[in-house]
Amino acid sequence: MSTESMGAGAAGPYFFLSYAHTPSDGVDDSDPNLWVRRLYRDLCGHITNMTTVSGDRAGFMDASMRTGQDWPTSLAESLAACRVFVPLYSPRYFISPWCGKEWTVFSRRQASYQGEKRGGMPSGVVPALWSPVRDNQLPQRVRTVQYAHPELGQRYKNFGLYGLIKVRSFRADYERAVFQLAHRIVEVGDNVTVEPGDHRRLQAVDDAFAPEAAVPSPTGRTLRITVAAGALDRLPEGRSSDYYGATPLHWNPFHPESAQPLAAMAASIVEGLNYRVVVREFDDESEAPDCPEVLLLDRWVLSDPKHRARLSELDAGHRPSTGLVVPWNSADPAGQVAQQDLAVDLDTALPRAAERQRRGGRAAALSVPDLRSFRTLLPQVVEAAANSYLHSAGASLSGGSTPRFKLGAAGSSAGGPPTWTRPGH
C-alpha cells in the first residue's frame, strides 16, 4: 500500500477516506484507483464549500508512495486526528487487513454528541458504498452500522458509487449521491466530537475484520443474541420502513428516541455484564448455541406464516436457555392498534418461551414498550438464561444430555450466520 498525504493539515483532516486498493493488472500504466481519487476530490470540493475548513484540510486519502516516507505513521496520525471516518464498502474492502486496521484505530477513539444530548450511540463513522456488498460479506463487527443511506438514491444502492461514476447516463445520480454523502459527513462532523486518538503504528493494531475465532473471550462467558425481525426488503405487512434497515440486525423499534439498532444496543448492555457477545440473525439453520441466548423478537414478523412456523418449531425444541424479549414502541400508532392481536400471535407461536418468562416473573419482557424498560429488563433475562444454561450444563455433566435443536433447511437464508463483537485497511 502506498500513500501520500492529500490534505492532512496540522489540525487533522475533516474526513479520512478508507478504501481497498485495486491491484494493477500489469498490462499498462493506468491507475486502477483513478475513480476513487475522483470521488475523493469531489467530496473535498463539497466539504470545502459546506464548511469553513481550508481545502488542504478537507480530507485525507493515500496516494502515491514517496521514497523514504513512513506511510503507516502518516495514516495513523490522520486517523488519530480526523473528524469523520468514511469507509468505502466493497467486497475487497472487507478482506483487506489494512482496512481492518484503519477501522480499529478510529473505533478506539471515544465519540460524544456536541451540545444537547441525542438518542442512540454517537459515531463518527459514515460508510459509503463503492460497489455492492452482500450481507454475508459484511464482517460481524460492522453489521449493525447503517450504510444504506436511502437519500443517495436507488441506483446508488443497486450499483454503488463505482457504478454511478462509470456509467455516463448515471452522471446525475452520481452527482446527487456525492453531494448527499458530503452533506452527511458534514452533519456528523458538526454534531459528533471524536476525541483524539493515539499515533501507534498500524502494524501494532488488530484487524477488525479478522475471523471471529481470533477474538478471545476476556471472561470465558459468552452469550448469543438472536434477532428475529423484518428488513427493508422484507418489510412486515403494515409496518413503516422507519423502524427497519438493510438486515434484521438494523431493526430499531424505538425510533426516533434511539438512532441505534437494537442489536447493537443490546450487545453493549450485555458486554457491560462481562459477557462476550455474539449477535446473529434468526434463520433456518439456527442451532441451539453452546451458551445462553436471548431472542429479540419483532412481533410483526409473526404475521408471516412461514416465519411464524419457523419460530414455532424453535419453541417446540428443547431450548430452555433461550430468554425471550419482545420490544415494541408505545409511541407507534400501528403498534397500539395491533397490540392485542400481536400478543395473541406471540402466545400461539412461542407458548413455551412465553410461559418460561411468566413463571420466572419476567412477563414484562414479553411486551417492552420503551427504551428505558428495555435497558432495565434485558439484564434480568440475560441472568435467567445464564442460570438456566448452567443448570442444564450441570445436569449434562451428571449423566444427562442436552439435545441440540436444528430447524429444517427449507428457505434458509444465504450465507453464514452473522455475529457481532465490539469493533476495535
Side-chain angles (χ1 to χ4, degrees):
M1 187 175 180
S2 59
T3 186
E4 175 182 338
S5 175
M6 296 180 64
Y14 200 97
F15 76 96
F16 183 104
L17 187 66
S18 173
Y19 72 102
H21 279 216
T22 300
S24 173
D25 59 10
V27 175
D28 55 37
D29 295 330
S30 63
D31 181 2
N33 300 294
L34 171 67
W35 300 111
V36 177
R37 293 173 182 273
R38 161 76 182 278
L39 169 65
Y40 170 78
R41 289 194 296 269
D42 290 342
L43 283 173
C44 285
H46 286 311
I47 300 292
T48 302
N49 282 280
M50 292 178 179
T51 69
T52 59
V53 300
S54 58
D56 63 339
R57 293 185 183 178
F60 177 95
M61 72 168 285
D62 61 277
S64 59
M65 183 68 175
R66 294 190 304 191
T67 303
Q69 185 178 16
D70 185 359
W71 60 263
T73 298
S74 179
L75 286 173
E77 289 176 348
S78 297
L79 283 168
C82 66
R83 294 194 194 187
V84 182
F85 181 73
V86 182
L88 209 52
Y89 282 18
S90 69
R92 193 182 301 278
Y93 184 84
F94 295 112
I95 63 172
S96 166
W98 285 110
C99 293
K101 289 174 182 289
E102 288 177 0
W103 187 291
T104 296
V105 170
F106 186 85
S107 68
R108 288 178 176 173
R109 298 171 58 189
Q110 295 296 312
S112 60
Y113 287 117
Q114 297 187 32
E116 63 181 62
K117 187 176 181 180
R118 301 165 184 262
M121 183 175 294
S123 173
V125 179
V126 179
L129 187 65
W130 182 245
S131 57
V133 180
R134 298 191 304 271
D135 291 342
N136 66 331
Q137 291 178 305
L138 294 173
Q140 59 269 26
R141 300 189 181 189
V142 307
R143 292 195 180 220
T144 57
V145 179
Q146 181 61 261
Y147 69 93
H149 302 314
E151 68 273 16
L152 271 63
Q154 186 62 38
R155 283 179 172 167
Y156 165 83
K157 178 181 178 181
N158 292 343
F159 304 108
L161 289 165
Y162 175 74
L164 300 187
I165 202 172
K166 287 289 289 183
V167 178
R168 185 174 302 176
S169 61
F170 291 170
R171 176 68 179 270
D173 299 279
Y174 170 76
E175 292 178 348
R176 179 180 69 165
V178 175
F179 178 85
Q180 291 288 357
L181 178 59
H183 183 270
R184 177 61 180 159
I185 291 170
V186 172
E187 183 180 44
V188 171
D190 285 349
N191 292 287
V192 177
T193 298
V194 185
E195 296 297 326
D198 60 32
H199 298 142
R200 71 175 61 193
R201 297 171 66 88
L202 282 179
Q203 296 97 319
V205 300
D206 297 328
D207 174 6
F209 308 150
E212 175 69 22
V215 181
S217 169
T219 64
R221 302 196 306 170
T222 299
L223 182 133
R224 187 166 88 180
I225 296 174
T226 299
V227 183
L232 290 177
D233 62 348
R234 47 188 184 279
L235 205 61
E237 184 177 356
R239 297 301 289 135
S240 167
S241 61
D242 291 343
Y243 303 100
Y244 299 92
T247 75
L249 298 186
H250 293 92
W251 174 46
N252 179 12
F254 300 125
H255 169 83
E257 180 182 2
S258 172
Q260 186 179 25
L262 190 70
M265 184 190 308
S268 179
I269 293 171
V270 176
E271 285 176 340
L273 302 174
N274 294 321
Y275 285 90
R276 173 180 173 272
V277 182
V278 175
V279 176
R280 57 164 292 152
E281 300 174 22
F282 172 76
D283 59 34
D284 293 324
E285 299 295 328
S286 186
E287 290 188 350
D290 292 326
C291 63
E293 176 185 39
V294 172
L295 173 64
L296 302 179
L297 175 66
D298 174 14
R299 291 185 300 187
W300 289 90
V301 303
L302 297 175
S303 60
D304 174 27
K306 291 183 178 179
H307 215 139
R308 185 170 63 247
R310 285 154 49 193
L311 285 162
S312 294
E313 193 174 348
L314 176 149
D315 191 67
H318 186 76
R319 208 153 167 165
S321 301
T322 295
L324 178 62
V325 180
V326 188
W328 66 290
N329 193 336
S330 60
D332 176 10
Q336 292 178 343
V337 171
Q339 183 178 0
Q340 185 173 353
D341 291 341
L342 293 171
V344 172
D345 289 343
L346 175 65
D347 280 325
T348 302
L350 296 159
R352 291 172 177 80
E355 181 58 26
R356 281 197 301 271
Q357 295 296 66
R358 294 190 178 99
R359 285 201 314 266
R362 299 177 300 279
L366 302 176
S367 182
V368 185
D370 53 55
L371 187 57
R372 183 176 180 180
S373 299
F374 179 78
R375 288 172 172 157
T376 300
L377 290 166
L378 181 60
Q380 300 175 21
V381 175
V382 168
E383 181 182 8
N387 289 337
S388 177
Y389 178 78
L390 291 174
H391 178 77
S392 298
S396 179
L397 291 173
S398 300
S401 62
T402 304
R404 296 186 65 79
F405 170 78
K406 185 174 182 179
L407 288 170
S412 63
S413 61
T419 57
W420 158 278
T421 57
R422 186 185 296 249
H425 178 313

